[in-house]
Amino acid sequence: LFAGVCCCCAALRPRYKRLVDNIFPEDPKDGLVKADMEKLTFYAVSAPEKLDRIGAYLAERLSRDVVRHRYGYVLIAMEALDQLLMACHSQSIKPFVESFLHMVAKLLESGEPKLQVLGTNSFVKFANIEEDTPSYHRRYDFFVSRFSAMCHSCDHDPETQTEIRIAGIRGIQGVVRKTVNDELRATIWEPQHMDKIVPSLLFNMHKIEDIDSRIGPPSSPTGGEKEENPALLAENCFRELLGRATYGNMNNAVRPVFAHLDHHRLWDPNEFAVSCFKIIMYSIQAQYSHHVIQEILGHLDVRKRDSPRVRAGIIQVLLEAVAIAAKGSIGPTVLEVFNTLLKHLRISVDFELGDRRSSAGSATFSTSSKESDERIVQNAIIQTIGFFGSNLPDYQRSEIMMFIMGKVPVLGMTSQSLDTSHLGDLGTRRIQIMLLRSLLMVTSGYKATTITNALPPPFLDPLLSPSLMEDSELRQLVLEILHNLIDRHDNRAKLRGIRIIPDVSDLKIKRDKISRQDVSFMKKHGQQLYRHIYLGCKEEDNVQKNFELLFTSLALTTIELANEEVVIDLIRLAIALQDIAIINEDNLPMFNRCGVMALVAAYLNFLSQMIAVPAFCQHVSKVIETRSLEASYFLPETIFKDKCNLPKSLEKHEKDLFFLTNKIAESLGGSGYSVERLSVPYVPQVTDEDRLSRRKSIVDTVSIQVDILPGNNTEDKIDNTEEITFEALKKAIDNNGLEEQEKEKRRLVIEKFQKAPFEEIAAQCETKANLLHDRLAQILELTIRPPPSPSGTMTITAGHAHYQSVPVYEMKFPDLCVY
């Protein structure tokens, strides 16, 4: 009777419940009853309005089976749900999906790893289904949180741990695929979700590799599936996520990366950080690259007080990002990158000098370590600036060259925007060197069509200013930058090193015909280049590299910019350099004098073969041959050896050891060159750069040194003074024998005004006018005033004459320019 009642009750139950009950066998090991499953599927398709009830009933049975740990029936229920989802795509499927997601959530909440994996697999299948219409009210907050937690599984069994983490990664991948395709529902990109998803993926990309290397390869999943590496799976999911990011949500996806790297201290060492940002830059759309660069720059500002190695790690990441972004679109971030990097360059120098000042008198290992770490930061900044600039298009690169050059601080002047006033001379020099090093990298490989494009006047003038500074390294960097810009045919490597080249044709130098634009450039700015080469040879701290770079500068100017007029100017410059070594008005060391002589020999040997005038070549070869026999220290192969015997003086050397202007003029005149200007000695222009660069003026001016003494011994001082008259000062000014050479100078002046370039005449006239004005002002100031009682003494130096202990009455020199 009881059995009959149960059968009647069962017959009275709704049909969808009976169909659902029939798919479950008595023994769960037998699996899903396929025949009854087909009936249930047909019923669901025929009556889609019943889908929500079918789903609710399946969810009820699954919840009961989970609580009772009847996992066999749980598997059957999930299999049935999967098949119904795949078969039904009507409007009525929405309520069924809610029941399905509720059942998946029940599985994920259980503590059984197998059920968590089962729920994840079902969710992934659901995520791959394209619904006819989106459901805007549906949210996946729970699934994001749960899958992210599974990614951090710490199960004691390594195999189970890996399995759960893989399930979590695949679940996150399913959430991403299900949500990002819907442009009207962007909840997945909200910060609270990204702060869970991104760190979970990064954690597996970084940590799982260590676990795998310790415990061996992961176990093979069941079901005949291929092996899955959690790190590779997380990386693929990370790439997919970034690839779907748009303009509005790009930053939300990138910022959690910084938080993860900061929290786990992955900036030092930064291999993983570099790997992450390479993935980011290659995964996102190219037009969004500047967003990532801006985020890196912003994070660098946030961490500006961190240790040098952390900052260096961030800067290296920026370098890798810039290297990829420079090949595509970098948007408005070009100047922002350079501004930020230059600011951090100044901060790094400030930190370095601050550590040095705080540890003055007690050199410790920690301090030296900090300094070396700051050097790492500075080198990373320079490398980033140079690499970024060298990968820009030519039109942008020229702007960046101007931008960097405008940041180089000049002693005596206020920089445009880079404040180095508090750094002192040492800090300013460090900034100068590093900026020029970065500019050297930016100019590397730059090929301008004309030299005017490569060296525009607003860039040329500030670039040449550091070449007058009393720092050999600064002058070397300036010359190397000039080489990058002048050498348009890659001849510099062939000219490396200063030497007597036996046959220039063996170098296979490439050159083109000089263009009109280049000729015009040399007429306007050639004297500037000559002047800086000339003054560069007169520096006492020159080493072999300085002479090598000066030789390369002369050679490249000959190859790229020399016509007949420029050749004559270069020969005049070479003879003037030879006179520097012979006359030695600047009291240069003997090594420098011999180095200049070797430089002139190497260059004239190169120039004579380039213009191929036989008589000129013969004269140069004869002088070089004589030097090799009698004065080998005048040749580069000898003077730049480690152990070279230097002469005591150069006054007793024969003329055969020198290059003579009259013989050069005679040899070139026979080949059609206009050699009249060779008789005019080369005199460099005088500009304010001498004062700005803190170097001695090249003009022999009247200098006045004032020494105010106490009034107690004034009378004794007056007794020992010499009376100053107009005739005495005039005699002192003319102490170089100017009167005896007056006729010869008049002839030279007339000839110069007839044949010399206008720019050179104007420069010399301006120099002499300024000098005469200064001297007359001094003479008038000293002679016109009546002599009241003396109050001190002064020393007057006029030319090479010295007047000491001169009474000082009223010292007012309003127009006096002291060099």
Side-chain angles (χ1 to χ4, degrees), residues 90-335:
S90 65
Q91 295 289 339
S92 304
I93 200 174
K94 303 301 177 184
F96 177 76
V97 171
E98 298 301 327
S99 300
F100 168 79
L101 294 178
H102 176 70
M103 288 183 281
V104 172
K106 285 288 185 180
L107 296 180
L108 296 178
E109 286 177 336
S110 67
E112 182 64 32
K114 292 183 179 180
L115 296 184
Q116 293 177 359
V117 174
L118 177 63
T120 302
N121 293 336
S122 295
F123 183 84
V124 171
K125 292 177 183 178
F126 162 71
N128 292 328
I129 298 175
E130 294 184 4
E131 300 183 50
D132 296 336
T133 57
S135 179
Y136 301 111
H137 68 279
R138 190 186 305 155
R139 299 184 65 87
Y140 297 92
D141 299 13
F142 168 79
F143 296 99
V144 171
S145 300
R146 190 57 194 163
F147 288 137
S148 298
M150 292 170 63
C151 291
H152 293 82
S153 173
C154 297
D155 194 276
H156 64 278
D157 183 12
E159 294 184 0
T160 303
Q161 181 187 107
T162 301
E163 188 177 10
I164 295 175
R165 289 186 177 183
I166 289 176
I169 297 169
R170 295 180 68 238
I172 289 178
Q173 192 174 30
V175 173
V176 171
R177 289 177 179 177
K178 196 62 180 176
T179 55
V180 297
N181 288 331
D182 188 358
E183 297 179 358
L184 299 179
R185 184 178 62 235
T187 57
I188 192 65
W189 296 107
E190 293 176 359
Q192 63 266 27
H193 298 322
M194 287 292 104
D195 290 344
K196 298 174 183 177
I197 293 175
V198 174
S200 300
L201 299 176
L202 296 178
F203 177 79
N204 283 274
M205 291 167 59
H206 187 236
K207 292 295 183 182
I208 297 296
E209 293 178 351
D210 298 336
I211 296 175
D212 290 344
S213 62
R214 185 171 64 248
I215 65 174
S219 59
S220 300
T222 59
E225 297 181 0
K226 297 181 180 179
E227 291 184 350
E228 291 183 346
N229 186 333
L232 295 178
L233 185 61
E235 179 180 332
N236 291 335
C237 183
F238 189 50
R239 290 179 184 273
E240 184 176 350
L241 175 68
L242 295 169
R244 297 174 184 269
T246 59
Y247 180 85
N249 48 48
M250 173 60 64
N251 293 341
N252 290 340
V254 175
R255 286 170 184 166
V257 178
F258 295 104
H260 179 81
L261 297 176
D262 290 342
H263 179 71
H264 293 277
R265 300 179 180 179
L266 297 176
W267 294 112
D268 178 32
N270 67 339
E271 288 81 2
F272 179 72
V274 171
S275 175
C276 285
F277 278 92
K278 282 185 176 181
I279 293 173
I280 293 173
M281 296 303 294
Y282 281 117
S283 300
I284 63 176
Q285 301 180 44
Q287 64 267 29
Y288 303 147
S289 297
H290 62 278
H291 280 288
V292 180
I293 295 176
Q294 286 175 332
E295 290 296 324
I296 300 175
L297 292 174
H299 195 69
L300 183 60
D301 287 336
V302 172
R303 305 296 300 270
K304 63 182 179 182
R305 297 291 178 182
D306 280 31
S307 66
R309 291 190 174 274
V310 170
R311 286 181 282 127
I314 299 175
I315 294 169
Q316 188 177 357
V317 167
L318 177 64
L319 172 62
E320 298 294 338
V322 161
I324 299 171
K327 300 175 183 177
S329 173
I330 50 178
T333 57
V334 177
L335 293 182

Side-chain angles (χ1 to χ4, degrees), residues 479-734:
L479 290 174
E480 289 181 294
I481 293 170
L482 277 176
H483 297 169
N484 282 343
L485 298 174
I486 295 177
D487 183 21
R488 292 170 289 178
H489 296 87
D490 298 324
N491 292 311
R492 181 177 37 177
K494 304 171 186 177
L495 301 169
R496 187 167 297 154
I498 180 171
R499 64 195 187 281
I500 302 298
I501 303 174
D503 190 354
V504 174
S505 61
D506 292 339
L507 301 180
K508 297 181 180 180
I509 292 175
K510 300 177 182 178
R511 62 184 305 190
D512 294 330
K513 186 178 179 181
I514 308 300
S515 64
R516 290 184 178 181
Q517 292 86 348
D518 293 346
V519 172
S520 175
F521 174 85
M522 290 304 293
K523 286 183 178 180
K524 293 180 181 179
H525 307 288
Q527 295 298 325
Q528 282 182 273
L529 296 177
Y530 305 151
R531 158 187 161 81
H532 287 270
I533 293 175
Y534 179 87
L535 297 179
C537 291
K538 298 175 67 173
E539 298 292 346
E540 295 184 2
D541 61 341
N542 280 338
V543 294
Q544 179 178 352
K545 185 176 181 180
N546 290 88
F547 289 109
E548 291 178 352
L549 294 173
L550 289 167
F551 166 75
T552 305
S553 300
L554 290 168
L556 289 176
T557 303
T558 305
I559 296 171
E560 298 286 348
L561 304 170
N563 55 9
E564 291 188 4
E565 183 177 348
V566 174
V567 167
I568 297 300
D569 287 337
L570 290 171
I571 294 176
R572 293 174 58 226
L573 174 61
I575 298 301
L577 295 177
Q578 181 178 252
D579 292 340
I580 290 177
I582 297 174
I583 301 174
N584 196 26
E585 293 180 347
D586 296 279
N587 296 321
L588 295 175
M590 186 57 66
F591 169 80
N592 294 65
R593 298 172 69 184
C594 294
V596 172
M597 297 291 284
L599 168 65
V600 174
Y603 173 63
L604 289 181
N605 171 71
F606 176 81
L607 177 62
S608 64
Q609 297 186 56
M610 287 296 294
I611 63 177
V613 176
F616 185 26
C617 294
Q618 185 178 0
H619 172 63
V620 172
S621 299
K622 185 176 180 181
V623 173
I624 292 175
E625 183 179 354
T626 305
R627 288 185 178 185
S628 62
L629 296 176
E630 301 179 11
S632 60
Y633 40 77
F634 285 166
L635 299 177
E637 288 81 1
T638 302
I639 185 60
F640 296 123
K641 288 182 178 179
D642 294 336
K643 296 180 180 179
C644 176
N645 295 324
L646 299 176
K648 296 182 179 179
S649 65
L650 304 183
E651 285 72 15
K652 298 181 180 180
H653 287 77
E654 300 293 335
K655 290 185 177 180
D656 293 342
L657 297 175
F658 306 134
F659 300 99
L660 304 179
T661 304
N662 56 350
K663 291 190 176 181
I664 295 176
E666 182 181 350
S667 61
L668 294 179
S671 298
Y673 282 82
S674 178
V675 297
E676 291 81 3
R677 290 173 47 243
L678 283 178
S679 58
V680 181
Y682 170 77
V683 178
Q685 297 178 358
V686 179
T687 66
D688 289 339
E689 291 174 346
D690 299 300
R691 175 177 57 81
L692 298 178
S693 58
R694 294 185 179 180
R695 72 188 320 275
K696 296 179 181 179
S697 174
I698 61 171
V699 183
D700 184 18
T701 60
V702 178
S703 62
I704 297 180
Q705 180 182 2
V706 179
D707 183 16
I708 302 299
L709 299 178
N712 296 334
N713 299 328
T714 303
E715 296 180 357
D716 297 336
K717 298 294 181 181
I718 295 175
D719 296 338
N720 296 328
T721 59
E722 178 180 346
E723 184 179 0
I724 298 180
T725 64
F726 179 83
E727 294 297 331
L729 288 173
K730 180 179 179 182
K731 183 178 180 181
I733 293 173
D734 295 335

Side-chain angles (χ1 to χ4, degrees), residues 1-14 18 21-22:
L1 178 63
F2 179 77
V5 173
C6 291
C7 291
C8 291
C9 293
L12 293 175
R13 298 180 65 194
R18 286 184 277 122
D21 291 337
N22 291 337

